[in-house]
Amino acid sequence: MDSYEQNYINGQWVDSIGGTPHQVINPATEEPGTKITLGTKADVDAAVAAAKEAFKTFSQTSREERLALLGRIVEEYQKRMPDIAASLAVEMGAPISLGNAMQAPAGLGGFLGTMEALKDFQFSEKLGANTVVYEPIGVVGMITPWNWPLNQIALKVAPALAGGNTMILKPSEECPSSAAILAEVMDAAGVPAGVFNLVQGDGPTVGAAISSHPDVDMVSFTGSTRAGILVAKAAADTVKRVHQELGGKSPNVVLPGAKLEEVLPPTIGGVMLNTGQSCIAPTRVLVHKDQNSDAIAVVKNIVESQEVGDPLAEGNHLGPVVNKAQHGKIQDLIQSAIDEGATLESGGPDLPTNVNRGYYVKPTVFSGVTPDMRIAKEEIFGPVVTLMSYDNLDQAIEIANDTEYGLSAVISGDPAEAVAVAPQLKAGMVIINNWGPAPGAPFGGYKQSGNGREGGVYGLRDFMEVKAISGLPG
């Protein structure tokens, strides 16, 4: 069993102050896979004090010094990518091939993209007779999820560093080792003591302590909308900046007459990848009624070609979902769709036939789904596709927007026709004939999918304060 039982505070690995042992369950075996210590408010206090002190000097570093530091981090990160992939296989069930090809590289991309943004970032600009400057915001608290752990961590840590901030990171207790490996990367890269601090723990204790701490100037959270609301409430008393990327329920608007065999494989693949555990997975597939039967056949063929298996084995199979609770939620939603009258085309409840333990989910397809069904409203976070039919494009757009979320939306079909549809979709990202975010483009959503943006220059701005200076000599 791997063990990361210490926190990284002020440049040193230290024991928790009163923390409790915690075992992370391997979702493929249902047995303990990693041991950590869940931290305490006292641990957060120590990390915040270190970050506050380090901010005095790190905030004064130059663009060139921060670029050099980020470059060293990238070098050290690349050395540890196989270790990161292995840890994700054990803790969240991400197949080792996916970890090496996408999960670990996603974190690397966050650092590289921030470096590009920093190179040309305008820290000062003239606005009439005034000067507007971007300055470090201070101590940043970061609370990150388990599904794309290094991607979400990098999209916070990298711009915080680039902006001259210091930070405290609390990763998900479901997937803690990759964050500990990143702490080792930061140490090896020579990040000054106190600039980056890692406190392991859960949301109700460590997350709440970070969100409410009076010396934390900003809290950046990625996770569920339910948890994001709690973070915002905890942060309200100190009026700190709250930066959030929350849940999603992305539609896939298939334009009338689209060539289904061409446009559906890349977007349905987005529901299968990472066993469906992606906040922007386009699970709600909206198809014109005249193409409904053809779409069912195409989607079934794609989904039924997906195999599940051991995350430690190489291959393109799906692993289990992260834990027992998530598995139970997915099974409950699948059963609700059956009970509410949707047609189960493939998959369904119970374990796949080739496994006898683990939190595996059958890749599943439902047709005949209507907007009032639970499975059309709630975020599934599993390999489940729902097909919904529409009469005309106006109705499709209405259904697509009929959600409390607004993280992303997909349009499948002729890009020339998609031009008129994209502005009508209430989402922070609209992707045509694909599903993943574009490098350098702002990542974030409308409505209850959060506020603020990550990635590139927009992410860098969100981790900085804006100051107006008036009356300077000409």
Side-chain angles (χ1 to χ4, degrees):
M1 186 189 303
D2 290 332
S3 178
Y4 285 100
E5 298 181 70
Q6 292 183 306
N7 296 316
Y8 183 76
I9 298 175
N10 204 26
Q12 297 181 333
W13 290 99
V14 296
D15 291 336
S16 171
I17 306 169
T20 56
H22 174 74
Q23 291 183 336
V24 182
I25 301 301
N26 182 328
T29 65
E30 302 184 44
E31 298 174 355
T34 309
K35 188 176 182 181
I36 64 169
T37 300
L38 297 178
T40 64
K41 182 180 181 300
D43 295 324
V44 173
D45 289 341
V48 172
K52 185 177 180 180
E53 182 64 26
F55 181 74
K56 295 176 183 177
T57 51
F58 189 70
S59 61
Q60 302 305 307
T61 54
S62 66
R63 181 202 312 264
E64 291 71 27
E65 288 172 311
R66 296 173 200 167
L67 280 170
L69 178 58
L70 287 165
R72 296 196 301 272
I73 292 170
V74 165
E75 291 178 7
E76 295 297 332
Y77 186 100
Q78 289 173 316
K79 299 175 186 176
R80 302 299 303 274
M81 286 168 68
D83 298 329
I84 291 168
S87 75
L88 301 184
V90 170
E91 292 179 354
M92 65 163 287
I96 194 76
S97 298
L98 176 69
N100 282 313
M102 298 188 72
Q103 284 274 8
L108 180 65
F111 283 101
L112 292 173
T114 297
M115 289 180 69
E116 287 301 311
L118 178 58
K119 287 176 183 177
D120 300 317
F121 188 79
Q122 299 298 311
F123 284 93
S124 177
E125 57 187 359
K126 295 295 291 183
L127 186 65
N130 308 305
T131 298
V132 177
V133 297
Y134 287 90
E135 297 183 341
I137 193 168
V139 177
V140 182
M142 305 170 178
I143 304 170
T144 57
W146 49 262
N147 60 320
W148 287 89
L150 261 298
N151 176 66
Q152 296 302 327
I153 289 172
L155 287 176
K156 301 181 191 303
V157 170
L161 285 171
N165 302 290
T166 59
M167 66 214 71
I168 302 94
L169 169 66
K170 187 209 86 69
S172 170
E173 67 273 27
E174 300 290 348
C175 195
S177 293
S178 56
I181 293 170
L182 179 65
E184 294 172 347
V185 165
M186 305 292 268
D187 191 80
V191 175
V195 171
F196 172 87
N197 303 275
L198 169 71
V199 178
Q200 302 281 11
D202 60 19
T205 302
V206 173
I210 289 173
S211 302
S212 62
H213 202 290
D215 288 333
V216 170
D217 301 290
M218 169 181 174
V219 59
S220 181
F221 172 81
T222 299
S224 70
T225 297
R226 177 195 58 78
I229 291 169
L230 295 176
V231 167
K233 288 180 177 179
D237 287 343
T238 50
V239 200
K240 58 173 57 71
R241 182 178 300 177
V242 178
H243 175 268
Q244 297 185 321
E245 190 266 285
L246 307 176
K249 191 65 178 173
S250 301
N252 180 356
V253 180
V254 184
L255 299 177
K259 297 178 180 178
L260 303 179
E261 295 83 359
E262 295 180 10
V263 301
L264 285 179
T267 54
I268 300 302
V271 186
M272 296 294 109
L273 186 73
N274 206 38
T275 320
Q277 298 169 125
S278 301
C279 53
I280 59 172
T283 57
R284 295 188 296 142
V285 183
L286 312 180
V287 182
H288 190 272
K289 62 182 180 181
D290 292 344
Q291 292 183 287
N292 191 52
S293 59
D294 291 338
I296 292 171
V298 171
V299 174
K300 279 185 66 177
N301 183 58
I302 296 168
V303 172
E304 289 177 352
S305 70
Q306 295 287 333
E307 298 180 352
V308 302
D310 183 358
L312 291 175
E314 297 281 352
N316 294 322
H317 54 278
L318 306 183
V321 296
V322 67
N323 58 29
K324 183 177 182 179
Q326 185 63 24
H327 184 267
K329 176 188 173 184
I330 295 166
Q331 297 299 333
D332 181 55
L333 281 169
I334 289 173
Q335 188 60 51
S336 77
I338 295 171
D339 295 342
E340 292 176 10
T343 301
L344 179 62
E345 299 286 354
S346 185
D350 303 322
L351 284 174
T353 56
N354 64 319
V355 296
N356 58 14
R357 65 173 179 171
Y359 306 126
Y360 292 92
V361 176
K362 290 181 181 178
T364 296
V365 181
F366 281 103
S367 66
V369 175
T370 56
D372 59 311
M373 293 180 181
R374 279 185 60 201
I375 205 163
K377 293 180 175 294
E378 299 179 26
E379 190 171 27
I380 301 172
F381 243 54
V384 181
V385 181
T386 59
L387 284 160
M388 311 168 76
S389 64
Y390 63 84
D391 296 332
N392 55 63
L393 202 48
D394 287 341
Q395 185 188 34
I397 294 167
E398 182 180 352
I399 295 171
N401 291 332
D402 183 21
T403 171
E404 63 188 19
Y405 299 111
L407 185 55
S408 70
V410 168
I411 304 173
S412 297
D414 185 348
E417 296 179 25
V419 169
V421 177
Q424 300 180 67
L425 297 176
K426 304 302 182 185
M429 297 170 282
V430 178
I431 307 107
I432 299 169
N433 292 328
N434 207 322
W435 72 281
F443 188 102
Y446 290 10
K447 300 189 280 187
Q448 291 192 32
S449 286
N451 48 62
R453 295 295 183 268
E454 294 180 329
V457 66
Y458 294 92
L460 185 50
R461 287 176 182 164
D462 268 14
F463 283 81
M464 304 194 77
E465 284 283 19
V466 179
K467 177 183 287 182
I469 304 175
S470 304
L472 292 175

